[in-house]
Amino acid sequence: MKKNIFLLILLPLLGYSQYLIKYDYVMESFDSYGSSKTIDKCYLYTDNLQSKFIKDRLISGKKEQELQFPETEMHQKFKQNELKEVTGDSIGYVVTKFFAKDSLYTRNIFGGLIKEKNEIEPYTFFEEYKTILTFKCQKAITKLYGREFTVWFTTEIPVNDGPWKLYGLPGLILEANSVDGSHNFYATSIKKINNTSYIYIPTPFNKILNKDQVYQEIYEYSEKNFKYKKSKNPDANIKIRINSLDMPLIAFE
């Protein structure tokens, strides 16, 4: 009887191909000290049931990230601090999507989960095409958290998914670029994998966080930081931007 129950659970999974897509996530920041860039290695484990998107993993004390800063003293000190070795591993930032429920959970730097509903605006399609990793891709545009994104998806891989919180197309998203140029995802490899992969391993968490409260705390911290810097040097051209993917772009200047 137990064997039959196991088969009933397993059978729905056997009808879906599962993929591991690797992306480079390129984030550009612009502030009073000039522009800077980070390049993160990201992983999307996905089928048509659910998926996990992972970035900011820590492996043996090292983050899978490349930092590119201008040659200013402030940025170089920050870079040295970021690259300082720490101990242990971390699963990092994780977005888990549940396609049937049109919902997702985000595990962020606060160590808890934020539960969300799909907030992607309807896509606009264009008869524009290009090839990415040998796959023919079509252009589409959408908005999420006030940002406009240009995405390129391929129907040759019929998986309704993409990097980060982007999904909802008749094919896999292989490239996504915010129109302001600060957030860019580029697929670097695609591989079919077994159904017993990382996707079905639960993401550890401590608690469910309130999304609005978390983002309000980020806003208040950034505003307080800006006011402090401005009070120390009122005539300086000081700018602080909240450039988090998970919330609308906000600038203090």
Side-chain angles (χ1 to χ4, degrees):
M1 182 65 179
K2 288 184 179 179
K3 184 177 180 181
N4 290 337
I5 292 174
F6 176 76
L7 286 174
L8 286 172
I9 294 172
L10 185 61
L11 278 173
L13 305 182
L14 298 178
Y16 294 93
S17 296
Q18 192 169 135
Y19 295 87
L20 167 58
I21 302 94
K22 295 182 181 180
Y23 295 89
D24 277 351
Y25 166 49
V26 182
M27 185 182 80
E28 296 192 43
S29 298
F30 309 91
D31 56 29
S32 307
Y33 302 95
S35 63
S36 58
K37 182 187 292 185
T38 59
I39 304 173
D40 287 281
K41 299 300 178 184
C42 304
Y43 308 86
L44 177 65
Y45 297 83
T46 184
D47 58 21
N48 278 318
L49 297 173
Q50 68 178 79
S51 72
K52 274 190 171 67
F53 173 76
I54 301 167
K55 74 178 181 72
D56 293 339
R57 292 196 316 181
L58 200 67
I59 307 297
S60 299
K62 292 185 178 179
K63 187 180 282 191
E64 296 180 306
Q65 184 182 79
E66 178 185 344
L67 305 171
Q68 298 178 358
F69 289 134
E71 294 300 319
T72 67
E73 183 180 353
M74 186 279 296
H75 278 106
Q76 290 306 312
K77 285 183 178 179
F78 179 77
K79 183 174 182 179
Q80 291 168 9
N81 185 58
E82 282 288 298
L83 294 178
K84 195 180 296 180
E85 284 200 16
V86 294
T87 58
D89 299 336
S90 170
I91 195 172
Y93 170 100
V94 182
V95 176
T96 303
K97 304 185 188 96
F98 299 93
F99 300 117
K101 297 180 180 179
D102 212 19
S103 64
L104 54 88
Y105 286 86
T106 303
R107 179 187 188 272
N108 61 18
I109 59 173
F110 297 95
L113 291 184
I114 294 176
K115 184 179 180 181
E116 302 179 55
K117 283 290 184 183
N118 177 9
E119 297 185 36
I120 303 170
E121 294 188 15
Y123 287 91
T124 301
F125 296 86
F126 296 84
E127 292 299 319
E128 296 181 36
Y129 301 87
K130 69 177 180 178
T131 300
I132 301 175
L133 298 177
T134 75
F135 297 98
K136 182 181 179 181
C137 296
Q138 184 177 356
K139 178 181 175 181
I141 288 180
T142 187
K143 279 188 177 181
L144 184 57
Y145 307 134
R147 284 192 177 91
E148 188 171 85
F149 284 87
T150 299
V151 304
W152 295 88
F153 70 97
T154 177
T155 56
E156 295 175 26
I157 303 178
V159 174
N160 164 26
D161 207 355
W164 180 49
K165 300 177 184 179
L166 295 167
Y167 67 108
L169 288 166
L172 182 66
I173 298 171
L174 298 185
E175 184 177 317
N177 312 104
S178 64
V179 171
D180 66 2
S182 59
H183 300 279
N184 305 277
F185 296 93
Y186 304 99
T188 58
S189 69
I190 301 170
K191 183 172 70 172
K192 272 193 176 184
I193 55 178
N194 295 328
N195 288 88
T196 54
S197 75
Y198 192 90
I199 188 173
Y200 294 106
I201 299 175
T203 302
F205 67 95
N206 298 322
K207 57 184 177 180
I208 300 292
L209 303 175
N210 180 280
K211 177 183 175 181
D212 293 337
Q213 182 178 344
V214 169
Y215 296 158
Q216 181 64 26
E217 289 174 2
I218 294 173
Y219 177 89
E220 290 174 356
Y221 171 80
S222 300
E223 184 181 38
K224 191 178 294 183
N225 188 27
F226 169 76
K227 288 180 177 179
Y228 174 77
K229 289 184 176 181
K230 195 69 175 173
S231 69
K232 292 296 183 182
N233 196 349
D235 298 325
N237 181 27
I238 296 173
K239 298 179 182 180
I240 292 180
R241 301 176 75 192
I242 302 177
N243 201 26
S244 168
L245 261 180
D246 296 309
M247 57 191 297
L249 179 65
I250 299 169
F252 298 96
E253 53 186 279

